[in-house]
Amino acid sequence: MPTDPLAWETRERRVAYSCPGFDVINESVRLPDGTETEFDYLSEPASVCVLPFTPEGDVVCIEEWRQAVSRISHGLPVGGVEPEDDDLEASARRELAEETGHEAERLEPLTTVEPANGIADAVLHFFVAEGCRPTAEQRLDHNESIRVTERSLKELTDAVADGEIRDGRTVLALSYYRLFDEGSGPDGK
């Protein structure tokens, strides 16, 4: 049982709804003041997001239809960690190849976040990939519609600043990279 006075006690846990990709979990909980209530959240496997640079320093981006917002989303390769992946880097390399047909010479971890921990248990691991070259065809999932593009880092940054890119994972990856890690990237651009 948690020892912090802010901690909630989970009394019972059940899957309220399950579908490919995520579950909705319902928990009966006791709050610190003794109140008993219900709490629902989204549960999904860990994911990876890749900020991939070509040898010339451009960013390999994707344009993908997103049904939840009924539009094309401009962003970066992102996907779930699969049971057969040896580690997070293997997941990142697989997602990059599947969604873009590119392979990276080098991958470095960028950061790990819980993007929506008030409503989900999701964990997202970010990587910077350098030396990305097209080596194969895309291997898209049955429900993916993706077009591969390249943008300069400045163009990508401007697209985030202008609100053209609204995908939170892409905004976070680029922002974190520009704020904390940019000097170690391709030509520090």
Side-chain angles (χ1 to χ4, degrees):
M1 191 155 126
T3 58
D4 192 295
L6 294 177
W8 297 5
E9 177 188 348
T10 302
R11 312 277 294 178
E12 187 178 336
R13 179 183 191 271
R14 70 178 188 87
V15 176
Y17 175 79
S18 185
C19 67
F22 66 88
D23 294 331
V24 175
I25 305 298
N26 170 262
E27 292 183 341
S28 298
V29 296
R30 179 177 290 147
L31 305 180
D33 69 359
T35 302
E36 293 194 10
T37 189
E38 302 290 311
F39 183 77
D40 298 313
Y41 63 94
L42 187 75
S43 182
E44 63 181 350
S47 296
V48 293
C49 177
V50 183
L51 177 59
F53 289 94
T54 66
E56 298 76 32
D58 289 330
V59 180
V60 179
C61 299
I62 62 171
E63 296 173 348
E64 181 174 12
W65 179 258
R66 290 297 189 185
Q67 184 64 26
V69 292
S70 298
R71 64 179 160 73
I72 301 292
S73 177
H74 302 265
L76 299 174
V78 177
V81 174
E82 300 289 341
E84 63 273 7
D85 293 335
D86 292 335
D87 54 29
L88 293 173
E89 182 177 322
S91 294
R93 286 184 182 281
R94 179 185 46 73
E95 281 298 329
L96 177 64
E98 286 178 0
E99 293 192 357
T100 70
H102 286 68
E103 290 185 20
E105 289 176 7
R106 295 173 306 286
L107 248 78
E108 292 293 328
L110 181 62
T111 191
T112 296
V113 300
E114 297 169 345
N117 65 14
I119 60 168
D121 66 0
V123 176
L124 186 52
H125 304 277
F126 291 87
F127 287 84
V128 174
E130 296 179 9
C132 295
R133 290 184 170 85
T135 58
E137 295 295 315
Q138 292 172 295
R139 295 183 317 274
L140 301 176
D141 291 338
H142 74 282
N143 60 351
E144 290 179 317
S145 301
I146 295 176
R147 178 173 39 239
V148 180
T149 64
E150 290 184 13
R151 289 185 171 190
S152 71
L153 187 58
K154 181 181 181 339
E155 289 171 333
L156 189 62
T157 302
D158 289 347
V160 167
D162 296 343
E164 174 194 344
I165 293 180
R166 298 172 59 181
D167 175 70
R169 298 156 308 183
T170 300
V171 171
L172 183 57
L174 182 64
S175 299
Y176 195 94
Y177 177 79
R178 297 297 307 253
L179 282 171
F180 301 115
D181 210 46
E182 185 172 3
S184 65
D187 302 325
K189 294 180 191 170

